[in-house]
Amino acid sequence: MDFPALKSIIEGLLFLSGEEGLGVKQLSEIVDQRPEVVTDALEELKREYTKQGRGLQILKIAGNYQMGTLPEHAVYFEKLAYSPSRSSLSQAALETLSIIAYRQPITRVEIEEIRGVKAERALHTLTSKDLIEEVGRAEAIGRPILYGTTKAFLDYFGLGTIKDLPEPSVFEDSDPLEEETQLLFSKLGQNMFEEESSSEVPIDNERNRAE
């Protein structure tokens, strides 16, 4: 198999794999080529897409390669995809997600202590969108759930690993939560938040019960 044909086949495989993507090992088995040859083909495809100004790009997310759109075109895709069931994240959900992303693993009580309001609704929203998941139990009374981000979170924000999150600057008088939330917001490239239909409930001074 010549190299141009290999690239063409890999391009088609990535298109068919969708959001799941394919790893180098899996691609190597499918096309019956050495992993290093497949990697070279993938990297050349990436360069070609960029050089030609294509509307798609080849991304490596969570170890797998996949096709993705360009962030600068997001506003047009939002117009196409908008529906009530695909609404954007609320401010509360994004703040909660930023806490989990930057400080995981973390419990609900710890999240509520940072935000100063109840977190059940935001956690439910993020779980239903498959952006967070239970990653264990804390060694504390009641063994509360520890939350962490998912592979879908990496896909949603176009990250290879959690280490690719934007690095917050360190200033004594800055608000860490506000900065982390803004960094996550900027990474997502959203134009608006969905409106909350009801106000959030402030937490009591007492610690919440462990889950």
Side-chain angles (χ1 to χ4, degrees), residues 176-192:
L177 173 58
E178 183 178 345
E179 185 174 12
E180 289 167 359
T181 301
Q182 186 57 46
L183 286 168
L184 210 59
F185 175 81
S186 299
K187 186 70 178 175
L188 178 59
Q190 288 176 297
N191 292 319
M192 63 180 65

Side-chain angles (χ1 to χ4, degrees), residues 32-147:
D32 195 25
Q33 296 289 330
R34 299 192 313 276
E36 54 267 32
V37 175
V38 170
T39 299
D40 288 344
L42 285 163
E43 292 303 317
E44 186 162 316
L45 268 175
K46 286 177 66 176
R47 289 193 295 270
E48 288 175 356
Y49 271 62
T50 301
K51 185 177 180 180
Q52 295 169 11
R54 304 276 289 275
L56 297 172
Q57 59 181 327
I58 306 297
L59 301 168
K60 186 177 182 182
I61 296 177
N64 282 356
Y65 286 87
Q66 67 182 64
M67 282 186 173
T69 54
L70 303 179
E72 56 266 35
H73 297 165
V75 62
Y76 304 104
F77 306 141
E78 286 176 3
K79 289 179 180 179
L80 173 66
Y82 178 77
S83 71
S85 63
R86 294 175 64 85
S87 57
S88 58
L89 295 175
S90 67
Q91 176 72 37
L94 189 59
E95 284 185 3
T96 301
L97 183 57
S98 68
I99 292 170
I100 295 170
Y102 280 95
R103 311 180 195 202
Q104 63 187 303
I106 189 169
T107 66
R108 175 182 60 81
V109 170
E110 291 171 325
I111 294 168
E112 290 175 343
E113 287 179 342
I114 293 170
R115 293 198 64 232
V117 294
K118 296 284 188 179
E120 288 95 336
R121 181 177 178 184
L123 289 171
H124 175 75
T125 297
L126 295 171
T127 301
S128 67
K129 290 179 180 288
D130 195 30
L131 294 174
I132 63 169
E133 64 184 355
E134 179 181 335
V135 296
R137 295 273 177 169
E139 295 294 337
I141 297 173
R143 302 276 292 166
I145 294 171
L146 288 167
Y147 292 98

